[in-house]
Amino acid sequence: SITVLRQCSLAYLSEERFLRVLSPIRHYILAHYPVLPALSTCLARVYCDLVIFKKHDYASSVRYARSHLQPELANISSVLRSHLAEDTVYLERSLRAVCSFSWLVSRTIFVHDHHPLLATAIDIAKETSPKLLAPLWNAKAVCLYNAHVYPAALFAFSEAYKFYCLSERSDRPTYQ
């Protein structure tokens, strides 16, 4: 079946010798042959480890993103999106991974089309991890700003500011 896909130009070998398939084929496979939950959790852990990168300086972030994230952009987005919908155990880590992933790819390799993933993460964080709403909204704002979608970016920056202010107030000690 791989041979047929390659003959029809629906799959190819990358420079790194990995088998890559075109987006419609990937969507079809995922829709008709879902990943087993145990395997999905393992994949999500691998991708979370990959995207939660400590930023030392901009140049090292760019090198890291180009070598580790760019070849896997579609897979990372897909796995994180499905993991957010399925998992509750590692949910906060997955939300942090979405935030880190968005920052890295938006600021280093200039890919700005992952705001739907951020929107999903924000909806989930509203219910499960409100303290992550500010950084998620900020990541979405940066993504939209870098994509030149200024009105939506302004709204997202406003939401990030609102949640940063709320989290700052809740961190203050209360005196009675």
Side-chain angles (χ1 to χ4, degrees), residues 29-30 33-48 75 78-80 82-83 86-87 90:
I29 296 294
L30 289 174
Y33 304 98
V35 178
L36 297 172
L39 183 58
S40 176
T41 300
C42 290
L43 280 172
R45 282 190 201 157
V46 167
Y47 284 133
C48 285
N75 291 334
S78 177
V79 167
L80 288 177
S82 67
H83 192 64
E86 298 167 358
D87 190 46
Y90 300 104

Side-chain angles (χ1 to χ4, degrees), residues 11-26:
Y12 60 95
L13 284 178
S14 68
E15 292 175 4
E16 301 86 22
R17 309 286 300 154
F18 289 107
L19 180 67
R20 304 274 187 217
V21 296
L22 298 181
S23 181
I25 303 302
R26 182 177 50 253

Side-chain angles (χ1 to χ4, degrees), residues 33-158:
Y33 304 98
V35 178
L36 297 172
L39 183 58
S40 176
T41 300
C42 290
L43 280 172
R45 282 190 201 157
V46 167
Y47 284 133
C48 285
D49 289 343
L50 192 64
V51 301
I52 298 176
F53 170 71
K54 303 293 184 222
K55 302 154 200 70
H56 301 291
D57 59 69
Y58 183 73
S60 63
S61 294
V62 170
R63 282 190 303 277
Y64 182 84
R66 285 186 181 152
S67 64
H68 292 87
L69 302 182
Q70 196 165 19
E72 295 293 323
L73 283 176
N75 291 334
I76 293 170
S77 293
S78 177
V79 167
L80 288 177
R81 186 176 296 109
S82 67
H83 192 64
L84 286 174
E86 298 167 358
D87 190 46
T88 56
V89 177
Y90 300 104
L91 191 56
E92 188 169 316
R93 186 161 188 262
S94 297
L95 291 168
R96 289 183 190 283
V98 168
C99 198
S100 179
F101 171 66
S102 298
W103 186 92
L104 274 168
V105 298
S106 182
R107 300 294 269 307
T108 58
I109 54 177
F110 310 110
V111 176
H112 314 296
D113 62 351
H114 47 275
H115 41 86
L117 176 61
L118 282 161
T120 301
I122 287 168
D123 287 342
I124 291 169
K126 286 176 188 173
E127 302 296 322
T128 61
S129 303
K131 66 183 178 183
L132 292 177
L133 283 170
L136 285 166
W137 273 110
N138 189 58
K140 183 173 182 176
V142 168
C143 171
L144 290 165
Y145 180 83
N146 288 336
H148 308 289
V149 186
Y150 299 121
L154 179 61
F155 175 77
F157 277 124
S158 299

